[in-house]
Amino acid sequence: NAGVTQTPKFRILKIGQSMTLQCTQDMNHNYMYWYRQDPGMGLKLIYYSVGAGITDKGEVPNGYNVSRSTTEDFPLRLELAAPSQTSVYFCASSYMVGRNQPQHFGDGTRLSIL
Amino acid sequence: TQLLEQSPQFLSIQEGENLTVYCNSSSVFSSLQWYRQEPGEGPVLLVTVVTGGEVKKLKRLTFQFGDARKDSSLHITAAQPGDTGLYLCAGERGSTLGRLYFGRGTQLTVWP
């Protein structure tokens, strides 16, 4: 059972570089999410998607972009990386039938911007 | 501003002790979820509470949703080292279905 798969697991970037964090899920979930987790700050929603072709901003979208061309994939793009984007990034998915659906998380991408 | 306030932020106890973690808000939620996260992994759902006043038990863990659906608590009886981890509460609001608002988490360490 793969669930939600994130790649890479670790990455170091220089200031100003760009990269794409990959996320794929094999559960046929229609909702997908990107969060960042900073020490002592819980999880902050960056972007989310309710289905292929539909994305929306969360609490902290600045400096990031997303796309959702398929149900399975939801990549997160960092343009012009900044030290403030050093964080652990989690992708999650849920099956939106009714309320109270659990979110299933990947194991995260640990990103350092130097 | 944090929609859900969790306390305490850190908890360090001996094996066998009891503990309670609180999750409070001034907003009403349609449901509250509790997750547990271990180092190097993503959060994993423990329980969802949806009805005001609801109490759910998961072995030694007891979860309660406040009558007004603004707060929740997690009580662990006779804590064990295996309970060590980051506990996160997350609320879903009726106006934004599918979106969860997370608390900052409680880092629990249980010493043998």
mmCIF file of all heavy atoms in Angstrom, chain A residues 31 33 35 37 40-45 48 57-59 90 94 96 99-103 105-107 110, chain B residues 1-2 9 30-31 33 35 37 40-43 45 48 50 86 88 92 94 97-100 102-104:
data_model
loop_
_atom_site.group_PDB
_atom_site.id
_atom_site.type_symbol
_atom_site.label_atom_id
_atom_site.label_comp_id
_atom_site.label_asym_id
_atom_site.label_seq_id
_atom_site.Cartn_x
_atom_site.Cartn_y
_atom_site.Cartn_z
ATOM 1 N N TYR A 31 -9.406 15.104 -3.068
ATOM 2 C CA TYR A 31 -8.812 16.253 -2.394
ATOM 3 C C TYR A 31 -7.323 16.004 -2.127
ATOM 4 O O TYR A 31 -6.950 14.919 -1.665
ATOM 5 C CB TYR A 31 -9.503 16.518 -1.052
ATOM 6 C CG TYR A 31 -10.746 17.354 -1.128
ATOM 7 C CD1 TYR A 31 -11.760 17.055 -2.019
ATOM 8 C CD2 TYR A 31 -10.918 18.448 -0.290
ATOM 9 C CE1 TYR A 31 -12.911 17.819 -2.079
ATOM 10 C CE2 TYR A 31 -12.058 19.222 -0.339
ATOM 11 C CZ TYR A 31 -13.050 18.902 -1.232
ATOM 12 O OH TYR A 31 -14.190 19.665 -1.289
ATOM 13 N N TYR A 33 -3.595 18.223 -0.645
ATOM 14 C CA TYR A 33 -3.175 19.385 0.141
ATOM 15 C C TYR A 33 -1.651 19.444 0.229
ATOM 16 O O TYR A 33 -0.983 18.409 0.213
ATOM 17 C CB TYR A 33 -3.687 19.273 1.582
ATOM 18 C CG TYR A 33 -5.143 18.908 1.731
ATOM 19 C CD1 TYR A 33 -5.557 17.577 1.649
ATOM 20 C CD2 TYR A 33 -6.110 19.883 1.967
ATOM 21 C CE1 TYR A 33 -6.899 17.233 1.798
ATOM 22 C CE2 TYR A 33 -7.447 19.547 2.113
ATOM 23 C CZ TYR A 33 -7.831 18.223 2.037
ATOM 24 O OH TYR A 33 -9.155 17.882 2.180
ATOM 25 N N TYR A 35 1.115 21.202 2.948
ATOM 26 C CA TYR A 35 1.344 21.901 4.200
ATOM 27 C C TYR A 35 2.841 22.116 4.386
ATOM 28 O O TYR A 35 3.659 21.367 3.869
ATOM 29 C CB TYR A 35 0.878 21.061 5.394
ATOM 30 C CG TYR A 35 -0.595 20.800 5.486
ATOM 31 C CD1 TYR A 35 -1.167 19.666 4.896
ATOM 32 C CD2 TYR A 35 -1.433 21.658 6.204
ATOM 33 C CE1 TYR A 35 -2.525 19.404 5.006
ATOM 34 C CE2 TYR A 35 -2.796 21.404 6.317
ATOM 35 C CZ TYR A 35 -3.326 20.272 5.716
ATOM 36 O OH TYR A 35 -4.675 20.017 5.839
ATOM 37 N N GLN A 37 5.503 22.543 7.800
ATOM 38 C CA GLN A 37 5.562 22.388 9.250
ATOM 39 C C GLN A 37 6.867 22.961 9.749
ATOM 40 O O GLN A 37 7.948 22.466 9.428
ATOM 41 C CB GLN A 37 5.453 20.911 9.651
ATOM 42 C CG GLN A 37 5.367 20.695 11.148
ATOM 43 C CD GLN A 37 5.150 19.233 11.514
ATOM 44 O OE1 GLN A 37 5.672 18.331 10.869
ATOM 45 N NE2 GLN A 37 4.363 18.971 12.552
ATOM 46 N N GLY A 40 7.331 23.885 16.336
ATOM 47 C CA GLY A 40 6.429 24.538 17.273
ATOM 48 C C GLY A 40 5.262 25.282 16.647
ATOM 49 O O GLY A 40 4.550 26.001 17.346
ATOM 50 N N MET A 41 5.060 25.102 15.330
ATOM 51 C CA MET A 41 4.035 25.901 14.656
ATOM 52 C C MET A 41 2.918 25.054 14.065
ATOM 53 O O MET A 41 2.037 25.570 13.399
ATOM 54 C CB MET A 41 4.667 26.741 13.539
ATOM 55 C CG MET A 41 5.655 27.772 14.052
ATOM 56 S SD MET A 41 4.886 28.931 15.183
ATOM 57 C CE MET A 41 3.766 29.785 14.106
ATOM 58 N N GLY A 42 2.927 23.766 14.265
ATOM 59 C CA GLY A 42 1.881 22.928 13.678
ATOM 60 C C GLY A 42 2.003 22.892 12.162
ATOM 61 O O GLY A 42 3.068 23.111 11.596
ATOM 62 N N LEU A 43 0.904 22.639 11.499
ATOM 63 C CA LEU A 43 0.876 22.530 10.040
ATOM 64 C C LEU A 43 0.129 23.722 9.457
ATOM 65 O O LEU A 43 -0.987 24.045 9.884
ATOM 66 C CB LEU A 43 0.170 21.249 9.617
ATOM 67 C CG LEU A 43 0.908 19.952 9.939
ATOM 68 C CD1 LEU A 43 -0.039 18.776 9.914
ATOM 69 C CD2 LEU A 43 2.023 19.722 8.932
ATOM 70 N N LYS A 44 0.741 24.370 8.488
ATOM 71 C CA LYS A 44 0.113 25.505 7.815
ATOM 72 C C LYS A 44 -0.201 25.099 6.373
ATOM 73 O O LYS A 44 0.674 24.603 5.657
ATOM 74 C CB LYS A 44 1.049 26.716 7.807
ATOM 75 C CG LYS A 44 1.384 27.252 9.192
ATOM 76 C CD LYS A 44 0.175 27.876 9.846
ATOM 77 C CE LYS A 44 0.556 28.563 11.154
ATOM 78 N NZ LYS A 44 -0.626 29.119 11.864
ATOM 79 N N LEU A 45 -1.437 25.362 5.954
ATOM 80 C CA LEU A 45 -1.865 24.980 4.614
ATOM 81 C C LEU A 45 -1.327 25.963 3.579
ATOM 82 O O LEU A 45 -1.521 27.182 3.705
ATOM 83 C CB LEU A 45 -3.385 24.940 4.556
ATOM 84 C CG LEU A 45 -4.020 24.489 3.243
ATOM 85 C CD1 LEU A 45 -3.678 23.030 2.961
ATOM 86 C CD2 LEU A 45 -5.531 24.690 3.288
ATOM 87 N N TYR A 48 -4.387 23.846 -1.781
ATOM 88 C CA TYR A 48 -5.128 22.608 -1.828
ATOM 89 C C TYR A 48 -5.882 22.505 -3.149
ATOM 90 O O TYR A 48 -5.999 23.490 -3.895
ATOM 91 C CB TYR A 48 -6.071 22.459 -0.632
ATOM 92 C CG TYR A 48 -7.229 23.427 -0.586
ATOM 93 C CD1 TYR A 48 -8.516 23.026 -0.905
ATOM 94 C CD2 TYR A 48 -7.040 24.748 -0.180
ATOM 95 C CE1 TYR A 48 -9.585 23.895 -0.836
ATOM 96 C CE2 TYR A 48 -8.095 25.630 -0.115
ATOM 97 C CZ TYR A 48 -9.356 25.208 -0.437
ATOM 98 O OH TYR A 48 -10.414 26.083 -0.374
ATOM 99 N N LYS A 57 -5.791 28.702 -2.838
ATOM 100 C CA LYS A 57 -4.785 29.092 -1.864
ATOM 101 C C LYS A 57 -5.223 28.722 -0.457
ATOM 102 O O LYS A 57 -6.407 28.744 -0.124
ATOM 103 C CB LYS A 57 -4.561 30.610 -1.932
ATOM 104 C CG LYS A 57 -3.983 31.087 -3.254
ATOM 105 C CD LYS A 57 -3.838 32.600 -3.271
ATOM 106 C CE LYS A 57 -3.254 33.070 -4.591
ATOM 107 N NZ LYS A 57 -3.114 34.549 -4.652
ATOM 108 N N GLY A 58 -4.199 28.402 0.358
ATOM 109 C CA GLY A 58 -4.424 28.175 1.767
ATOM 110 C C GLY A 58 -3.991 29.392 2.564
ATOM 111 O O GLY A 58 -4.132 30.536 2.116
ATOM 112 N N GLU A 59 -3.414 29.151 3.744
ATOM 113 C CA GLU A 59 -3.019 30.248 4.630
ATOM 114 C C GLU A 59 -1.725 30.925 4.206
ATOM 115 O O GLU A 59 -1.554 32.130 4.413
ATOM 116 C CB GLU A 59 -2.823 29.706 6.051
ATOM 117 C CG GLU A 59 -4.036 29.042 6.667
ATOM 118 C CD GLU A 59 -3.648 28.334 7.961
ATOM 119 O OE1 GLU A 59 -3.363 29.049 8.947
ATOM 120 O OE2 GLU A 59 -3.614 27.099 7.972
ATOM 121 N N PHE A 90 4.667 18.685 3.810
ATOM 122 C CA PHE A 90 3.849 17.482 3.779
ATOM 123 C C PHE A 90 2.747 17.618 2.748
ATOM 124 O O PHE A 90 2.069 18.652 2.669
ATOM 125 C CB PHE A 90 3.220 17.211 5.145
ATOM 126 C CG PHE A 90 4.185 16.718 6.164
ATOM 127 C CD1 PHE A 90 4.749 17.594 7.085
ATOM 128 C CD2 PHE A 90 4.546 15.380 6.202
ATOM 129 C CE1 PHE A 90 5.662 17.139 8.020
ATOM 130 C CE2 PHE A 90 5.454 14.921 7.142
ATOM 131 C CZ PHE A 90 6.011 15.800 8.049
ATOM 132 N N SER A 94 -7.369 13.286 0.742
ATOM 133 C CA SER A 94 -8.566 12.757 1.399
ATOM 134 C C SER A 94 -9.638 12.476 0.362
ATOM 135 O O SER A 94 -9.652 13.076 -0.720
ATOM 136 C CB SER A 94 -9.095 13.719 2.463
ATOM 137 O OG SER A 94 -9.564 14.919 1.884
ATOM 138 N N MET A 96 -13.262 12.897 -0.526
ATOM 139 C CA MET A 96 -14.293 13.809 -0.065
ATOM 140 C C MET A 96 -15.684 13.302 -0.384
ATOM 141 O O MET A 96 -16.294 13.723 -1.369
ATOM 142 C CB MET A 96 -14.072 15.187 -0.690
ATOM 143 C CG MET A 96 -14.784 16.268 0.068
ATOM 144 S SD MET A 96 -14.252 16.316 1.780
ATOM 145 C CE MET A 96 -15.505 17.339 2.496
ATOM 146 N N ARG A 99 -18.683 14.772 5.165
ATOM 147 C CA ARG A 99 -17.772 15.481 6.047
ATOM 148 C C ARG A 99 -16.828 14.527 6.773
ATOM 149 O O ARG A 99 -16.958 13.328 6.690
ATOM 150 C CB ARG A 99 -18.590 16.241 7.110
ATOM 151 C CG ARG A 99 -19.493 17.307 6.560
ATOM 152 C CD ARG A 99 -20.443 17.793 7.644
ATOM 153 N NE ARG A 99 -21.349 18.813 7.135
ATOM 154 C CZ ARG A 99 -21.152 20.101 7.286
ATOM 155 N NH1 ARG A 99 -20.106 20.536 7.937
ATOM 156 N NH2 ARG A 99 -21.998 20.985 6.790
ATOM 157 N N ASN A 100 -15.906 15.165 7.518
ATOM 158 C CA ASN A 100 -15.108 14.445 8.518
ATOM 159 C C ASN A 100 -14.222 13.362 7.945
ATOM 160 O O ASN A 100 -13.963 12.354 8.610
ATOM 161 C CB ASN A 100 -16.038 13.819 9.584
ATOM 162 C CG ASN A 100 -17.085 14.780 10.071
ATOM 163 O OD1 ASN A 100 -16.798 15.955 10.265
ATOM 164 N ND2 ASN A 100 -18.304 14.294 10.236
ATOM 165 N N GLN A 101 -13.765 13.564 6.736
ATOM 166 C CA GLN A 101 -12.879 12.566 6.154
ATOM 167 C C GLN A 101 -11.454 12.775 6.664
ATOM 168 O O GLN A 101 -10.984 13.898 6.766
ATOM 169 C CB GLN A 101 -12.887 12.683 4.625
ATOM 170 C CG GLN A 101 -14.233 12.419 4.013
ATOM 171 C CD GLN A 101 -14.715 11.018 4.304
ATOM 172 O OE1 GLN A 101 -13.958 10.057 4.182
ATOM 173 N NE2 GLN A 101 -15.966 10.887 4.687
ATOM 174 N N PRO A 102 -10.738 11.699 6.995
ATOM 175 C CA PRO A 102 -9.356 11.845 7.464
ATOM 176 C C PRO A 102 -8.442 12.227 6.310
ATOM 177 O O PRO A 102 -8.713 11.891 5.148
ATOM 178 C CB PRO A 102 -9.020 10.457 7.986
ATOM 179 C CG PRO A 102 -9.878 9.538 7.188
ATOM 180 C CD PRO A 102 -11.159 10.297 6.948
ATOM 181 N N GLN A 103 -7.369 12.909 6.641
ATOM 182 C CA GLN A 103 -6.345 13.199 5.651
ATOM 183 C C GLN A 103 -5.209 12.182 5.820
ATOM 184 O O GLN A 103 -4.818 11.858 6.943
ATOM 185 C CB GLN A 103 -5.840 14.633 5.800
ATOM 186 C CG GLN A 103 -6.921 15.643 5.432
ATOM 187 C CD GLN A 103 -6.415 17.068 5.367
ATOM 188 O OE1 GLN A 103 -5.214 17.332 5.417
ATOM 189 N NE2 GLN A 103 -7.344 18.013 5.238
ATOM 190 N N PHE A 105 -1.316 11.401 5.031
ATOM 191 C CA PHE A 105 -0.116 12.186 4.799
ATOM 192 C C PHE A 105 1.024 11.344 4.244
ATOM 193 O O PHE A 105 1.166 10.160 4.564
ATOM 194 C CB PHE A 105 0.354 12.819 6.109
ATOM 195 C CG PHE A 105 -0.502 13.962 6.569
ATOM 196 C CD1 PHE A 105 -1.675 13.737 7.270
ATOM 197 C CD2 PHE A 105 -0.122 15.275 6.303
ATOM 198 C CE1 PHE A 105 -2.477 14.783 7.687
ATOM 199 C CE2 PHE A 105 -0.916 16.334 6.735
ATOM 200 C CZ PHE A 105 -2.083 16.084 7.420
ATOM 201 N N GLY A 106 1.856 11.995 3.435
ATOM 202 C CA GLY A 106 3.131 11.414 3.063
ATOM 203 C C GLY A 106 4.133 11.595 4.195
ATOM 204 O O GLY A 106 3.801 12.161 5.238
ATOM 205 N N ASP A 107 5.358 11.136 3.992
ATOM 206 C CA ASP A 107 6.387 11.218 5.029
ATOM 207 C C ASP A 107 7.180 12.512 4.997
ATOM 208 O O ASP A 107 8.110 12.689 5.796
ATOM 209 C CB ASP A 107 7.337 10.022 4.931
ATOM 210 C CG ASP A 107 6.699 8.741 5.434
ATOM 211 O OD1 ASP A 107 5.727 8.838 6.225
ATOM 212 O OD2 ASP A 107 7.154 7.656 5.036
ATOM 213 N N ARG A 110 12.108 17.301 3.551
ATOM 214 C CA ARG A 110 12.838 18.240 4.397
ATOM 215 C C ARG A 110 13.699 19.117 3.510
ATOM 216 O O ARG A 110 14.625 18.627 2.864
ATOM 217 C CB ARG A 110 13.681 17.480 5.410
ATOM 218 C CG ARG A 110 12.837 16.960 6.547
ATOM 219 C CD ARG A 110 13.235 15.566 6.991
ATOM 220 N NE ARG A 110 12.220 15.036 7.900
ATOM 221 C CZ ARG A 110 11.129 14.398 7.490
ATOM 222 N NH1 ARG A 110 10.909 14.186 6.207
ATOM 223 N NH2 ARG A 110 10.246 13.956 8.375
ATOM 224 N N THR B 1 -2.490 34.507 13.596
ATOM 225 C CA THR B 1 -3.309 34.036 14.720
ATOM 226 C C THR B 1 -3.649 32.559 14.512
ATOM 227 O O THR B 1 -3.895 32.123 13.397
ATOM 228 C CB THR B 1 -4.608 34.838 14.855
ATOM 229 O OG1 THR B 1 -5.301 34.774 13.610
ATOM 230 C CG2 THR B 1 -4.327 36.275 15.210
ATOM 231 N N GLN B 2 -3.639 31.827 15.613
ATOM 232 C CA GLN B 2 -3.903 30.403 15.577
ATOM 233 C C GLN B 2 -5.372 30.158 15.894
ATOM 234 O O GLN B 2 -5.869 30.595 16.929
ATOM 235 C CB GLN B 2 -2.998 29.723 16.615
ATOM 236 C CG GLN B 2 -2.762 28.262 16.403
ATOM 237 C CD GLN B 2 -1.742 27.969 15.320
ATOM 238 O OE1 GLN B 2 -0.978 28.831 14.906
ATOM 239 N NE2 GLN B 2 -1.717 26.741 14.850
ATOM 240 N N GLN B 9 2.426 22.800 25.287
ATOM 241 C CA GLN B 9 3.222 22.609 24.075
ATOM 242 C C GLN B 9 4.169 21.417 24.252
ATOM 243 O O GLN B 9 4.423 20.687 23.307
ATOM 244 C CB GLN B 9 4.026 23.863 23.770
ATOM 245 C CG GLN B 9 4.752 23.797 22.430
ATOM 246 C CD GLN B 9 5.469 25.087 22.074
ATOM 247 O OE1 GLN B 9 5.399 26.071 22.808
ATOM 248 N NE2 GLN B 9 6.158 25.100 20.952
ATOM 249 N N SER B 30 -17.213 21.799 12.875
ATOM 250 C CA SER B 30 -18.124 20.700 12.570
ATOM 251 C C SER B 30 -17.540 19.371 13.039
ATOM 252 O O SER B 30 -18.283 18.416 13.275
ATOM 253 C CB SER B 30 -18.417 20.658 11.067
ATOM 254 O OG SER B 30 -17.229 20.427 10.332
ATOM 255 N N SER B 31 -16.240 19.304 13.149
ATOM 256 C CA SER B 31 -15.592 18.103 13.666
ATOM 257 C C SER B 31 -14.192 18.448 14.142
ATOM 258 O O SER B 31 -13.617 19.468 13.732
ATOM 259 C CB SER B 31 -15.513 16.998 12.605
ATOM 260 O OG SER B 31 -14.611 17.367 11.582
ATOM 261 N N GLN B 33 -10.395 16.490 14.687
ATOM 262 C CA GLN B 33 -9.611 15.280 14.488
ATOM 263 C C GLN B 33 -8.348 15.369 15.331
ATOM 264 O O GLN B 33 -7.792 16.450 15.524
ATOM 265 C CB GLN B 33 -9.235 15.117 13.005
ATOM 266 C CG GLN B 33 -10.444 14.976 12.092
ATOM 267 C CD GLN B 33 -10.079 14.827 10.628
ATOM 268 O OE1 GLN B 33 -8.905 14.765 10.265
ATOM 269 N NE2 GLN B 33 -11.094 14.744 9.776
ATOM 270 N N TYR B 35 -4.459 13.770 15.548
ATOM 271 C CA TYR B 35 -3.420 13.043 14.831
ATOM 272 C C TYR B 35 -2.221 12.843 15.743
ATOM 273 O O TYR B 35 -1.975 13.642 16.659
ATOM 274 C CB TYR B 35 -2.957 13.832 13.595
ATOM 275 C CG TYR B 35 -3.962 13.902 12.469
ATOM 276 C CD1 TYR B 35 -5.017 14.813 12.501
ATOM 277 C CD2 TYR B 35 -3.853 13.076 11.355
ATOM 278 C CE1 TYR B 35 -5.931 14.892 11.466
ATOM 279 C CE2 TYR B 35 -4.761 13.148 10.307
ATOM 280 C CZ TYR B 35 -5.797 14.049 10.381
ATOM 281 O OH TYR B 35 -6.699 14.119 9.355
ATOM 282 N N GLN B 37 2.017 12.157 15.362
ATOM 283 C CA GLN B 37 3.121 12.205 14.417
ATOM 284 C C GLN B 37 4.401 11.749 15.101
ATOM 285 O O GLN B 37 4.737 12.234 16.184
ATOM 286 C CB GLN B 37 3.291 13.628 13.878
ATOM 287 C CG GLN B 37 4.354 13.769 12.814
ATOM 288 C CD GLN B 37 4.477 15.184 12.295
ATOM 289 O OE1 GLN B 37 3.978 16.141 12.916
ATOM 290 N NE2 GLN B 37 5.115 15.360 11.162
ATOM 291 N N GLY B 40 10.168 11.992 11.546
ATOM 292 C CA GLY B 40 10.440 11.537 10.193
ATOM 293 C C GLY B 40 9.239 11.003 9.445
ATOM 294 O O GLY B 40 9.394 10.481 8.331
ATOM 295 N N GLU B 41 8.069 11.144 10.023
ATOM 296 C CA GLU B 41 6.863 10.625 9.375
ATOM 297 C C GLU B 41 5.778 11.700 9.349
ATOM 298 O O GLU B 41 5.853 12.702 10.044
ATOM 299 C CB GLU B 41 6.345 9.391 10.109
ATOM 300 C CG GLU B 41 7.327 8.239 10.126
ATOM 301 C CD GLU B 41 6.777 7.025 10.855
ATOM 302 O OE1 GLU B 41 5.595 7.044 11.251
ATOM 303 O OE2 GLU B 41 7.544 6.056 11.018
ATOM 304 N N GLY B 42 4.745 11.444 8.542
ATOM 305 C CA GLY B 42 3.619 12.348 8.518
ATOM 306 C C GLY B 42 2.640 12.004 9.628
ATOM 307 O O GLY B 42 2.683 10.920 10.204
ATOM 308 N N PRO B 43 1.719 12.939 9.943
ATOM 309 C CA PRO B 43 0.706 12.669 10.962
ATOM 310 C C PRO B 43 -0.203 11.507 10.545
ATOM 311 O O PRO B 43 -0.475 11.311 9.363
ATOM 312 C CB PRO B 43 -0.088 13.982 11.020
ATOM 313 C CG PRO B 43 0.822 15.011 10.444
ATOM 314 C CD PRO B 43 1.631 14.309 9.411
ATOM 315 N N LEU B 45 -3.995 9.744 11.596
ATOM 316 C CA LEU B 45 -5.243 9.992 12.308
ATOM 317 C C LEU B 45 -5.442 8.992 13.457
ATOM 318 O O LEU B 45 -5.279 7.780 13.281
ATOM 319 C CB LEU B 45 -6.431 9.887 11.345
ATOM 320 C CG LEU B 45 -7.798 10.137 11.984
ATOM 321 C CD1 LEU B 45 -7.971 11.630 12.269
ATOM 322 C CD2 LEU B 45 -8.925 9.624 11.090
ATOM 323 N N THR B 48 -11.753 10.875 15.073
ATOM 324 C CA THR B 48 -12.552 12.039 14.690
ATOM 325 C C THR B 48 -13.767 12.111 15.618
ATOM 326 O O THR B 48 -14.446 11.103 15.830
ATOM 327 C CB THR B 48 -13.049 11.916 13.237
ATOM 328 O OG1 THR B 48 -11.930 11.773 12.363
ATOM 329 C CG2 THR B 48 -13.851 13.150 12.839
ATOM 330 N N VAL B 50 -17.390 14.275 16.229
ATOM 331 C CA VAL B 50 -18.250 15.109 15.394
ATOM 332 C C VAL B 50 -19.460 15.685 16.137
ATOM 333 O O VAL B 50 -20.065 16.651 15.670
ATOM 334 C CB VAL B 50 -18.757 14.343 14.154
ATOM 335 C CG1 VAL B 50 -17.604 13.865 13.317
ATOM 336 C CG2 VAL B 50 -19.631 13.169 14.558
ATOM 337 N N LEU B 86 4.287 13.550 18.724
ATOM 338 C CA LEU B 86 3.655 14.870 18.617
ATOM 339 C C LEU B 86 2.165 14.659 18.371
ATOM 340 O O LEU B 86 1.785 13.988 17.405
ATOM 341 C CB LEU B 86 4.274 15.652 17.467
ATOM 342 C CG LEU B 86 3.705 17.055 17.213
ATOM 343 C CD1 LEU B 86 4.050 17.988 18.370
ATOM 344 C CD2 LEU B 86 4.245 17.627 15.900
ATOM 345 N N LEU B 88 -1.434 16.270 17.499
ATOM 346 C CA LEU B 88 -1.986 17.434 16.810
ATOM 347 C C LEU B 88 -3.506 17.350 16.780
ATOM 348 O O LEU B 88 -4.060 16.313 16.433
ATOM 349 C CB LEU B 88 -1.480 17.485 15.370
ATOM 350 C CG LEU B 88 0.009 17.712 15.163
ATOM 351 C CD1 LEU B 88 0.451 17.185 13.818
ATOM 352 C CD2 LEU B 88 0.344 19.196 15.272
ATOM 353 N N GLU B 92 -12.324 20.983 11.464
ATOM 354 C CA GLU B 92 -12.954 21.260 10.176
ATOM 355 C C GLU B 92 -14.152 22.181 10.437
ATOM 356 O O GLU B 92 -14.971 21.919 11.306
ATOM 357 C CB GLU B 92 -13.429 19.969 9.506
ATOM 358 C CG GLU B 92 -14.029 20.189 8.118
ATOM 359 C CD GLU B 92 -14.470 18.896 7.449
ATOM 360 O OE1 GLU B 92 -14.809 17.943 8.164
ATOM 361 O OE2 GLU B 92 -14.480 18.840 6.217
ATOM 362 N N GLY B 94 -17.614 24.213 9.101
ATOM 363 C CA GLY B 94 -18.699 23.948 8.159
ATOM 364 C C GLY B 94 -18.610 24.766 6.890
ATOM 365 O O GLY B 94 -19.035 24.344 5.827
ATOM 366 N N LEU B 97 -15.473 23.030 3.984
ATOM 367 C CA LEU B 97 -15.390 21.576 4.047
ATOM 368 C C LEU B 97 -14.116 21.064 3.396
ATOM 369 O O LEU B 97 -13.721 21.530 2.320
ATOM 370 C CB LEU B 97 -16.596 20.963 3.342
ATOM 371 C CG LEU B 97 -17.916 20.986 4.104
ATOM 372 C CD1 LEU B 97 -18.995 20.317 3.282
ATOM 373 C CD2 LEU B 97 -17.775 20.334 5.462
ATOM 374 N N GLY B 98 -13.479 20.095 4.041
ATOM 375 C CA GLY B 98 -12.273 19.492 3.492
ATOM 376 C C GLY B 98 -11.006 20.154 3.981
ATOM 377 O O GLY B 98 -9.934 19.576 3.885
ATOM 378 N N ARG B 99 -11.120 21.390 4.484
ATOM 379 C CA ARG B 99 -9.935 22.070 4.997
ATOM 380 C C ARG B 99 -9.838 21.846 6.497
ATOM 381 O O ARG B 99 -10.828 21.941 7.221
ATOM 382 C CB ARG B 99 -10.015 23.573 4.733
ATOM 383 C CG ARG B 99 -9.611 23.980 3.349
ATOM 384 C CD ARG B 99 -9.525 25.481 3.229
ATOM 385 N NE ARG B 99 -8.499 26.056 4.100
ATOM 386 C CZ ARG B 99 -8.091 27.315 4.021
ATOM 387 N NH1 ARG B 99 -8.621 28.118 3.119
ATOM 388 N NH2 ARG B 99 -7.177 27.777 4.847
ATOM 389 N N LEU B 100 -8.626 21.529 6.954
ATOM 390 C CA LEU B 100 -8.383 21.361 8.370
ATOM 391 C C LEU B 100 -7.516 22.498 8.889
ATOM 392 O O LEU B 100 -6.584 22.934 8.214
ATOM 393 C CB LEU B 100 -7.667 20.037 8.647
ATOM 394 C CG LEU B 100 -8.476 18.755 8.445
ATOM 395 C CD1 LEU B 100 -7.606 17.535 8.708
ATOM 396 C CD2 LEU B 100 -9.700 18.745 9.352
ATOM 397 N N PHE B 102 -5.028 23.277 11.906
ATOM 398 C CA PHE B 102 -4.251 22.540 12.887
ATOM 399 C C PHE B 102 -3.831 23.410 14.055
ATOM 400 O O PHE B 102 -3.509 24.593 13.901
ATOM 401 C CB PHE B 102 -2.992 21.955 12.247
ATOM 402 C CG PHE B 102 -3.241 20.700 11.456
ATOM 403 C CD1 PHE B 102 -3.679 20.771 10.147
ATOM 404 C CD2 PHE B 102 -3.055 19.457 12.032
ATOM 405 C CE1 PHE B 102 -3.916 19.620 9.413
ATOM 406 C CE2 PHE B 102 -3.284 18.298 11.312
ATOM 407 C CZ PHE B 102 -3.718 18.377 10.000
ATOM 408 N N GLY B 103 -3.797 22.781 15.252
ATOM 409 C CA GLY B 103 -3.143 23.397 16.385
ATOM 410 C C GLY B 103 -1.633 23.236 16.243
ATOM 411 O O GLY B 103 -1.149 22.559 15.322
ATOM 412 N N ARG B 104 -0.872 23.850 17.177
ATOM 413 C CA ARG B 104 0.586 23.805 17.074
ATOM 414 C C ARG B 104 1.171 22.485 17.552
ATOM 415 O O ARG B 104 2.335 22.187 17.321
ATOM 416 C CB ARG B 104 1.205 24.947 17.877
ATOM 417 C CG ARG B 104 0.870 26.301 17.307
ATOM 418 C CD ARG B 104 1.610 27.416 18.015
ATOM 419 N NE ARG B 104 1.275 28.716 17.446
ATOM 420 C CZ ARG B 104 1.873 29.840 17.766
ATOM 421 N NH1 ARG B 104 2.841 29.842 18.656
ATOM 422 N NH2 ARG B 104 1.500 30.970 17.203
#
